Amino acid sequence: MILTPEQQAVGRRNFLKASAALPAAGAFAFSHRNFGPVKCGVIGTGGEGRVLMECLDPKYIRVTAICDIRPDHLQMGQEVGLKNWDAELDTYTDYNEMLEKADIEAVIIASPLWQHAPMSIAALEAGKHVFCEKTMAKTIDDCIAMKETAEKTGLNLQIGHQRFYSPIYWNMYRMVMGGDLGDVKHIRCQWHRNNSWVRGRWWENQEHLEKYPAMKDYDPSQWGYGAPDNLCNWRLYEKHSEGLFTELASHMIAITNWLGVEGKDPEEVKAMKDKDIVVDAVAPRLVMATGGIYKFKNGEEGIYESKPTEYTREIEDHIYATFEYPNDLTVTFSSIQTNSYDGYYEMIMGTKGTVILSNETNLYLFPEYAWDKWQEEEEKRKEAEEAAKEGKATEVTTKEASKAAPVQTASASRGADVAGTAMGSGAGGGSGYTWQWAYRDELRGFAETIRFGRNNLCDGSVGLYAAQAVLGARQSLKEKRIIKFDETGRVIPAKA
């Protein structure tokens, strides 16, 4: 599924042509009013927390306090504050102390997954608005508890699925829900890498220990991490993580949940402007998944060649899942750690065409075989018929314009099978857009939701649906059964 440069250019041109009639993606028309930035604390200043800190716009959010249990991460967060805002940030190792003492209105939570729910609920109960990184929480019950706490307190809870704040995904949404792709019944998602997903271990890095001497004898056991690697590589351990499903799949499945909603008026969707923007979502009704630790077994690590280590992961390095939605939409997802050839993308396939979104920055449109030609001829036929009614065309003109064959003739469908094999992701969107922009805009949206009541594009309900789907998928993999959900979003227990 690799596109040549020529195919990439054609796909981009097709998209630009199809989207020309749409209003500019307005999810990002922020007010820029001088409303005073939201004073915010950050819980978790590891890699993801610092990405958010680097991307936030200080006109909207001003970080005044940070909290992390790792001394090196706390110092790194302080360095971001000094570099970006020339500000000395208050530092904490206990988030409850920060919630009690810090002069803040809101918190950004970028901690390991297992801490999302207790931290979010504590912050909401302390009167703070919450931006919590995806996935919402480690269990469906915890997600529901977070959503109910936000509703009870009347505070803003936003989950960090940044694709909802990307103009590329909003253009795709309006094309798909506006009917430009026809009837969509299948979406293919994948996120393939060739790496071990292992973060550098501080106790093995002499340069790191010299720069951050507090890490030399650092023991994280008091924080619930049985060994240093349980904290350093928490994504690989069962107590703290749900693995590739929550770290990667949830991004994409949140989007397919968005596309699975029925009953949207196509013309209203295509005409959407800033004031109309809202995200509705639906959860799949069932999921089937498989996978396992296929390469990095018995403590082996490395990329192209495995090598034995003392560390034994508990989380899968290959996962595959099929999600079934109420409107007969089927979505497949795969994530592997032994090959990166196809990268990561979402492919939305409809009766009239296919949209491919690759690397969160590129959007390609490919009409179904002969559809674009048929559509052109159909327009000519309608014009000819109108002209004939007005006495401006001959009978021959009308008949000739009517000869265009619909797509689903035997020859056209066979031709489509043969021709429809060269599609794929490509690099270089040509617009200068980068994935970091969506981080910036979701945080701007978080601030404006607090200040002006702007629509929250990924609230507790949307975040819950995404979490429900991927947590159900991991349960399916572990229990080797189809997982179905009841009307509350909880998993239906297996029959005895």
Side-chain angles (χ1 to χ4, degrees):
M1 203 207 71
I2 297 299
L3 287 178
T4 65
E6 292 78 12
Q7 289 168 326
Q8 292 176 34
V10 168
R12 278 195 287 268
R13 282 199 302 271
N14 290 340
F15 160 66
L16 292 172
K17 181 180 177 182
S19 62
L22 299 174
F28 325 101
F30 295 99
S31 68
H32 297 291
R33 284 180 277 174
N34 186 20
F35 57 79
V38 174
K39 288 189 291 184
C40 191
V42 177
I43 304 176
T45 52
E48 186 67 12
R50 296 196 305 278
V51 165
L52 294 171
M53 290 174 69
E54 293 276 8
C55 290
L56 65 82
D57 186 334
K59 294 192 298 293
Y60 292 84
I61 294 177
R62 179 163 62 90
V63 175
T64 62
I66 55 175
C67 176
D68 202 292
I69 61 173
R70 281 183 55 161
D72 54 348
H73 285 175
L74 205 56
Q75 186 174 332
M76 292 175 193
Q78 186 71 273
E79 290 165 0
V80 172
L82 291 169
K83 180 187 74 172
N84 290 357
W85 318 304
D86 193 26
E88 189 86 23
L89 306 176
D90 295 334
T91 59
Y92 298 86
T93 55
D94 184 337
Y95 69 87
N96 287 302
E97 183 181 358
M98 186 181 83
L99 294 173
E100 179 185 349
K101 293 184 177 181
D103 180 19
I104 55 176
E105 305 167 74
V107 294
I108 295 170
I109 296 173
S111 62
L113 178 67
W114 73 306
Q115 288 295 306
H116 284 189
M119 289 177 173
S120 296
I121 291 170
L124 290 165
E125 290 179 340
K128 316 299 182 184
H129 302 280
V130 171
F131 177 98
C132 180
E133 257 305 339
K134 64 86 202 130
T135 293
M136 190 171 180
K138 196 174 185 297
T139 70
I140 293 174
D141 284 344
D142 278 348
C143 294
I144 293 171
M146 287 170 64
K147 176 176 176 287
E148 290 178 345
T149 303
E151 292 170 347
K152 179 181 68 177
T153 60
L155 294 165
N156 184 36
L157 170 63
Q158 182 171 322
I159 308 302
H161 289 288
Q162 72 270 12
R163 279 167 167 78
F164 292 119
Y165 287 84
S166 163
I168 289 177
Y169 282 83
W170 271 96
N171 273 326
M172 173 277 295
Y173 174 79
R174 289 187 296 183
M175 291 175 66
V176 173
M177 303 301 280
D180 289 355
L181 295 191
D183 199 10
V184 175
K185 293 301 178 188
H186 182 53
I187 300 175
R188 182 193 303 166
C189 304
Q190 75 162 51
W191 205 315
H192 289 183
R193 296 170 168 176
N194 193 340
N195 62 35
S196 63
W197 212 17
V198 172
R199 302 294 195 268
R201 297 178 170 109
W202 71 79
W203 56 95
E204 297 176 347
N205 186 329
Q206 188 60 37
E207 183 179 346
H208 189 86
L209 293 176
E210 289 174 2
K211 186 173 182 180
Y212 304 104
M215 297 302 293
K216 288 182 179 179
D217 299 312
Y218 177 67
D219 179 7
S221 61
Q222 63 176 311
W223 307 105
Y225 297 90
D229 205 54
N230 296 136
L231 173 58
C232 182
N233 286 297
W234 62 268
R235 294 169 182 82
L236 305 182
Y237 297 99
E238 195 75 44
K239 179 180 177 181
H240 315 295
S241 171
E242 293 294 326
L244 294 165
F245 277 118
T246 50
E247 297 306 306
L248 298 183
S250 63
H251 279 300
M252 294 178 166
I253 300 306
I255 294 301
T256 64
N257 289 349
W258 193 23
L259 300 178
V261 175
E262 297 181 277
K264 290 286 184 180
D265 182 273
E267 293 306 314
E268 287 184 7
V269 170
K270 294 180 79 168
M272 248 187 340
K273 295 182 180 179
D274 184 59
K275 64 182 178 61
D276 307 314
I277 288 168
V278 65
V279 171
D280 297 317
V282 64
R285 60 188 175 193
L286 63 84
V287 59
M288 301 166 282
T290 185
I293 303 174
Y294 293 164
K295 177 173 182 179
F296 302 111
K297 301 179 180 181
N298 304 318
E300 290 187 350
E301 293 174 4
I303 300 178
Y304 303 114
E305 299 295 331
S306 294
K307 59 181 181 181
T309 73
E310 61 186 280
Y311 310 105
T312 302
R313 73 177 66 207
E314 300 166 356
I315 297 294
E316 303 80 26
D317 54 25
H318 284 60
I319 59 171
Y320 313 86
T322 300
F323 301 87
E324 182 181 289
Y325 286 81
N327 61 345
D328 299 326
L329 169 67
T330 297
V331 175
T332 61
F333 175 86
S334 65
S335 183
I336 67 174
Q337 289 183 257
T338 52
N339 189 286
S340 62
Y341 182 68
D342 232 0
Y344 74 108
Y345 63 85
E346 298 100 335
M347 179 188 288
I348 299 103
M349 290 172 269
T351 53
K352 296 180 182 179
T354 298
V355 160
I356 301 168
L357 300 104
S358 71
N359 304 331
E360 301 176 64
T361 56
N362 304 310
L363 197 156
Y364 306 111
L365 170 64
F366 296 93
E368 272 294 277
Y369 179 79
W371 178 265
D372 50 347
K373 183 67 176 175
W374 178 81
Q375 200 168 28
E376 180 181 321
E377 295 296 337
E378 183 71 0
E379 290 173 1
K380 289 181 180 178
R381 181 185 66 77
K382 290 179 179 178
E383 289 174 2
E385 287 181 348
E386 290 298 319
K389 289 178 183 177
E390 298 175 9
K392 296 179 181 178
T394 65
E395 184 180 357
V396 173
T397 304
T398 304
K399 286 182 177 178
E400 287 178 351
S402 301
K403 288 180 181 178
V407 172
Q408 291 305 320
T409 62
S411 59
S413 60
R414 180 62 59 86
D417 290 341
V418 174
T421 57
M423 294 183 179
S425 59
S431 66
Y433 181 83
T434 70
W435 57 267
Q436 291 99 329
W437 289 16
Y439 280 106
R440 178 201 64 189
D441 287 340
E442 68 176 348
L443 290 166
R444 285 177 172 176
F446 178 60
E448 289 207 348
T449 299
I450 294 169
R451 286 287 185 261
F452 308 131
R454 184 188 182 96
N455 287 336
N456 179 347
L457 302 188
C458 192
D459 62 12
S461 295
V462 177
L464 169 61
Y465 287 142
Q468 171 191 325
V470 297
L471 292 171
R474 180 126 202 277
Q475 185 172 345
S476 172
L477 182 154
K478 291 165 68 177
E479 297 182 5
K480 299 187 183 303
R481 70 179 179 97
I482 295 173
I483 293 294
K484 297 182 179 180
F485 304 99
D486 64 20
E487 65 278 0
T488 70
R490 291 180 171 86
V491 172
I492 298 174
K495 293 182 180 179

